[in-house]
Amino acid sequence: MIAIYPGSFDPVTLGHIDIIERGAKLFERVIVAVLSNPSKQSLFTVDERMEQIKKCTQHIKNIKVDSFVGLTVEYAKIHQAGVLLRGLRVLSDFEKELQMAHTNKTLNQEIETVFLATTKEYSFLSSSIVKEIAHFGGSIDHLVSTNVAQDMYQKYQNQ
Ligand code: PNS
């Protein structure tokens, strides 16, 4: 079974990597799909985000990093994926995630959403938190991989 792990990944965090690693053990193939959403302002371009993910998932053999526009279920169908993989951190994630899962189910009955409980060390972690810490000059070395931390420091230095 092929699983799609869709997200913004702006930037990819150690919490995302944890889900990718564990998903890759459960599914034949995991496609990490970066949403390209021109109406949403992002820190990194889609190409930069894909490059960051590729660099920190080199040790995982059965994954592919890609980007998409439009509906996730349409992307999943094109790639013959039967599962949408998402991480669940805390209770506040649940409402949005359940809404997305139900919406996606109405759009395509054949595609299931599978949730993995985020490893508890990362249950507080989000891309927004990482950006906020980096913006104020704090250390993010324990929250993202080395290549992403370097990209972040460089980005904020140039701003
Ligand atoms: O990392 P994020 O921002 O929480 O990921 C959200 C994402 C990309 C999974 C979601 O916004 C999405 O699937 N967008 C594509 C548009 C779509 O399919 N919408 C219908 C489901 S709500």
Side-chain angles (χ1 to χ4, degrees), residues 18-69:
D18 172 57
I19 297 292
I20 298 169
E21 284 173 345
R22 290 162 57 209
K25 287 183 191 154
L26 293 173
F27 299 102
E28 177 192 334
R29 191 165 168 76
V30 174
I31 303 177
V32 184
V34 180
L35 175 68
S36 171
N37 185 356
S39 61
K40 197 174 157 187
Q41 211 187 344
S42 58
L43 181 65
F44 293 104
T45 66
V46 170
D47 285 345
E48 285 171 330
R49 284 179 263 164
M50 284 174 58
E51 201 48 43
Q52 289 168 344
I53 300 168
K54 279 181 192 164
K55 274 190 190 156
C56 47
T57 54
Q58 278 168 351
H59 59 294
I60 313 170
K61 295 292 161 243
N62 56 332
I63 74 153
K64 180 184 161 182
V65 182
D66 196 11
S67 66
F68 73 106
V69 282

Side-chain angles (χ1 to χ4, degrees), residues 72-124:
T72 305
V73 288
E74 292 301 324
Y75 177 84
K77 195 175 166 189
I78 292 166
H79 290 81
Q80 280 110 42
V83 163
L84 301 180
L85 179 64
R86 294 286 290 171
L88 264 186
R89 292 167 300 189
V90 283
L91 195 60
S92 52
D93 276 350
F94 191 74
E95 204 174 356
K96 179 193 158 203
E97 292 297 335
L98 202 63
Q99 186 186 31
M100 277 205 290
H102 286 318
T103 306
N104 285 327
K105 195 76 178 170
T106 65
L107 296 171
N108 189 326
Q109 296 271 326
E110 304 302 313
I111 299 172
E112 296 290 347
T113 299
V114 171
F115 295 110
L116 285 184
T118 302
T119 298
K120 68 177 184 313
E121 286 86 332
Y122 304 130
S123 59
F124 67 96

Side-chain angles (χ1 to χ4, degrees), residues 126-149:
S126 69
S127 300
S128 314
I129 279 184
V130 168
K131 283 185 275 198
E132 187 165 315
I133 297 171
H135 176 71
F136 290 112
S139 169
I140 52 166
D141 296 347
H142 56 306
L143 306 176
V144 295
S145 59
T146 314
N147 64 303
V148 174

